[in-house]
Amino acid sequence: MVGAPRFRFAPSPTGFFHVGGARTALYNWALAKRTGGTFVLRIEDTDEARNQPEWTQGIIDALEWIGISRNDPTFEGPYFQSQYANEHVAAAERLHAAGHAYYCDLTPDQIQERAKQSGKPGYDGYSRDRGLGPGPGRVLRFRVPEGVTVVNDLVRGRVEFQNETIEDFVLLRGNGSPMFLLANVIDDVSMRVSHVVRAEEHLPNTPKQQLLWEALGHEPPVWAHVPVLVNEQRKKLSKRRDKVALEQYRAEGYLASAMINYLMTLGWAPQGETEIVPWSKIQDEFRLEDVNHSPAFFDLKKLAAFNGEYIRAMSLDDFITACQPWLTGTDVPWTAAQYRPEIFRALAELVQTRIVTLSEVPQLVDFMFLDAPLVDETSWSKTFGSADGVAMLRSGRDALVSCDWNAEALKSAVEAAGSNLGLKLGKAQAPIRVAVTGRTVGPPLFEALELLGRDAVMKRLDAALAKLG
RNA sequence: GCCCCCAUCGUCUAGUGGCCUAGGACACCACCCUUUCAAGGUGGCGGCACGGGUUCGAAUCCCGUUGGGGGUGCCA
């Protein structure tokens, strides 16, 4: 390897951008940044029916979100694999000319039939020495040499493959188009990639690709296969079964910083007593050699905990800014005219310690903006199912009608009304809370009442009393 | 079936032959604080898969077993 290292991230645009892909990208990014190398983004969009152009933009946006910006000098690309098909085919022809590959006219069915008869699975090398030329329906296969292929992997160490267990894989399809193994290697060669850091599922491909590098006359890159991310069943995270779309987490109010930090600690840990660390520390310390070897469970609870930590660590202004999309978006329960930024600002600090994702913000403050609270039936029946609750509501209403209007005075008034009924403050505030906010839980009550104002509060207390008969 | 990878608390991990009576974090439990809920504080529960070696000494090295996972396409 000469010069600065060149890493690459090569996703295929076949769906929403996956958290596993995000972690792989982040690993590559951290390495490229620390070593003064380059991060090459290559979209592997080779003629696959599943590819959709919008997914490509999704990848770029998602990378941007987690700090992998195409405007950063470390970033190179995106390149699109489909644009290099000619090079892939030319390389395949060179391989053929040099005797490293040969054409075969067997159909998949015929191959299967032969495998069945011989009792050995896979392609048996039937056309190796038939000297076929190219033609419609004929695939080009790589002639796997005899011997042993040793893959030196930065994460796994030395991995040995007996070449006889590697079948003569397809380079060019019957229609002449290049296959993944070939295209991937050719692009890595021409983009001068020095380090291939990818998920473990590619490890079985690696001896084939290494053989290709060698047949092409190049020194193979440094390989590193990081463990896959798994679900609670310990199966590889899948788009079908699991919630894996990075975009979805973003939409639910996860912070990029929390997501980045969490993803980096799956399979690796920074030095010290805490895993919550700034990106700069991650970038300084991350080493492939330190990556764990076993699959890592993508734990929503831990992600949530990280997110809560990051939310609480924000300055008040940053927090308020971050909340904007959840306050002024199209799916909030109040109208734009009802929303009062100064009210939210006054309450923001109390909201900040009570949420794990930003999407939980509206339910904590909706009663401040709506004319009448959204009543949670469970809260209502639990609170007013007893005579105590109703009595307290009545007595609380009478106390609030004339007291001073600030949080301290409101608290005292409710406390006094409660003690007359033999209720402690915890019990006494509940009926007021439900009548005013619609729920048994929420931000500290008296601060909210103060902000809401006497008129609005009395209106709600009276409405609740009327409803109770 | 075949090939390959892996194995420390439930989970993510620290640990690279003596500092380990195995450390931290999430989760869980208890207590404190408290106007609900959180947050915060304190404490607790809980692990080196098993069996053989090697060594004065093994979570750390070797072998086997068992158990997981990945791959096995004219997908990427």
Side-chain angles (χ1 to χ4, degrees):
Chain A
M1 183 205 351
V2 195
R6 289 173 62 81
F7 297 88
R8 50 75 141 174
F9 178 58
S12 60
T14 57
F16 287 109
F17 191 59
H18 197 284
V19 288
R23 186 191 58 155
T24 302
L26 249 11
Y27 278 2
N28 277 285
W29 185 246
L31 258 7
K33 293 295 275 182
R34 176 171 61 78
T35 60
T38 302
F39 174 98
V40 177
L41 174 63
R42 182 175 71 236
I43 307 293
E44 306 223 322
D45 58 348
T46 37
D47 82 340
E48 162 65 48
R50 295 177 298 163
N51 287 335
Q52 304 275 349
E54 60 263 37
W55 300 134
T56 296
Q57 191 55 46
I59 291 170
I60 292 170
D61 291 344
L63 290 177
E64 187 78 39
W65 186 59
I66 55 175
I68 302 176
S69 171
R70 56 192 304 186
N71 299 318
D72 190 295
T74 299
F75 189 103
E76 187 178 303
Y79 296 109
F80 292 88
Q81 185 160 72
S82 58
Q83 293 178 0
Y84 303 97
N86 290 343
E87 285 186 38
H88 306 153
V89 172
E93 283 165 357
R94 261 181 279 130
L95 252 11
H96 178 234
H100 289 302
Y102 61 90
Y103 284 94
C104 175
D105 58 1
L106 252 33
T107 65
D109 283 348
Q110 289 174 308
I111 291 169
Q112 208 171 43
E113 186 54 35
R114 292 179 63 83
K116 206 177 187 179
Q117 281 180 9
S118 70
K120 290 176 184 168
Y123 179 70
D124 62 359
Y126 173 70
S127 299
R128 274 196 155 211
D129 302 309
R130 291 172 63 215
L132 258 32
R138 293 184 179 178
V139 301
L140 183 67
R141 286 183 180 269
F142 185 73
R143 188 191 305 276
V144 175
E146 292 186 347
V148 178
T149 299
V150 175
V151 170
N152 286 305
D153 189 292
L154 239 34
V155 173
R156 322 242 151 216
R158 175 193 163 95
V159 185
E160 218 177 87
F161 296 86
Q162 298 298 321
N163 290 6
E164 61 195 22
T165 66
I166 306 171
E167 71 172 28
D168 287 351
F169 53 95
V170 174
L171 261 19
L172 255 28
R173 299 188 181 87
N175 66 8
S177 66
M179 289 277 294
F180 158 73
L181 251 12
L182 205 226
N184 190 265
V185 167
I186 300 306
D187 287 345
D188 282 346
V189 169
S190 60
M191 292 171 192
R192 301 171 354 263
V193 168
S194 62
H195 292 68
V196 173
V197 180
R198 64 218 319 189
E200 188 191 350
E201 64 208 64
H202 289 288
L203 189 51
N205 288 328
T206 309
K208 299 179 185 177
Q209 297 196 313
Q210 182 162 302
L211 253 13
L212 237 25
W213 278 79
E214 286 163 358
L216 257 9
H218 296 283
E219 186 79 5
V222 175
W223 307 105
H225 290 89
V226 304
V228 294
L229 262 29
V230 298
N231 61 20
E232 42 288 303
Q233 277 84 243
R234 298 245 124 218
K235 300 282 188 208
K236 190 172 73 160
L237 243 38
S238 103
K239 288 175 182 173
R240 271 226 121 111
R241 293 185 300 255
D242 310 302
K243 188 172 127 187
V244 298
L246 199 63
E247 179 56 36
Q248 192 182 350
Y249 287 99
R250 182 184 185 178
E252 286 176 12
Y254 284 87
L255 265 29
S257 51
M259 181 59 87
I260 291 166
N261 194 160
Y262 177 63
L263 250 17
M264 287 302 293
T265 64
L266 251 21
W268 177 80
Q271 287 172 29
E273 294 291 67
T274 175
E275 291 175 322
I276 307 268
V277 293
W279 172 256
S280 57
K281 181 174 164 73
I282 290 174
Q283 192 176 295
D284 286 348
E285 294 183 2
F286 181 74
R287 297 285 187 287
L288 250 7
E289 294 84 339
D290 297 335
V291 172
N292 245 46
H293 297 184
S294 359
F297 172 49
F298 186 78
D299 187 353
L300 270 322
K301 282 194 177 156
K302 191 159 180 180
L303 204 214
F306 270 48
N307 207 55
E309 289 259 9
Y310 272 87
I311 284 177
R312 277 172 255 125
M314 278 195 272
S315 71
L316 189 58
D317 282 339
D318 286 350
F319 176 66
I320 289 168
T321 304
C323 288
Q324 285 317 297
W326 281 269
L327 259 12
T328 58
T330 51
D331 44 8
V332 293
W334 53 82
T335 65
Q338 286 175 308
Y339 176 61
R340 305 262 304 285
E342 73 282 6
I343 294 284
F344 181 71
R345 168 166 284 276
L347 232 37
E349 197 175 353
L350 302 177
V351 171
Q352 195 171 0
T353 54
R354 269 161 254 264
I355 57 169
V356 153
T357 63
L358 297 175
S359 61
E360 295 162 34
V361 168
Q363 70 197 46
L364 242 30
V365 297
D366 54 7
F367 68 93
M368 295 299 295
F369 306 126
L370 295 167
D371 289 334
L374 266 15
V375 177
D376 171 60
E377 286 310 323
T378 306
S379 296
W380 181 275
S381 53
K382 185 175 148 201
T383 307
F384 298 121
S386 70
D388 263 5
V390 182
M392 179 60 217
L393 178 61
R394 192 164 284 126
S395 138
R397 187 245 174 237
D398 293 342
L400 297 182
V401 80
S402 58
C403 71
D404 282 350
W405 203 261
N406 60 67
E408 240 349 271
L410 291 165
K411 179 182 171 184
S412 302
V414 171
E415 203 162 20
S419 70
N420 287 338
L421 296 172
L423 298 174
K424 289 187 174 171
L425 189 51
K427 284 279 185 191
Q429 58 89 44
I432 314 291
R433 177 183 292 280
V434 173
V436 175
T437 75
R439 302 186 183 89
T440 50
V441 303
L445 183 61
F446 305 113
E447 289 76 358
L449 294 185
E450 180 184 332
L451 286 166
L452 217 37
R454 179 157 7 228
D455 288 351
V457 170
M458 293 319 293
K459 202 173 124 194
R460 293 181 191 197
L461 295 178
D462 287 335
L465 249 9
K467 184 174 168 184
L468 288 164

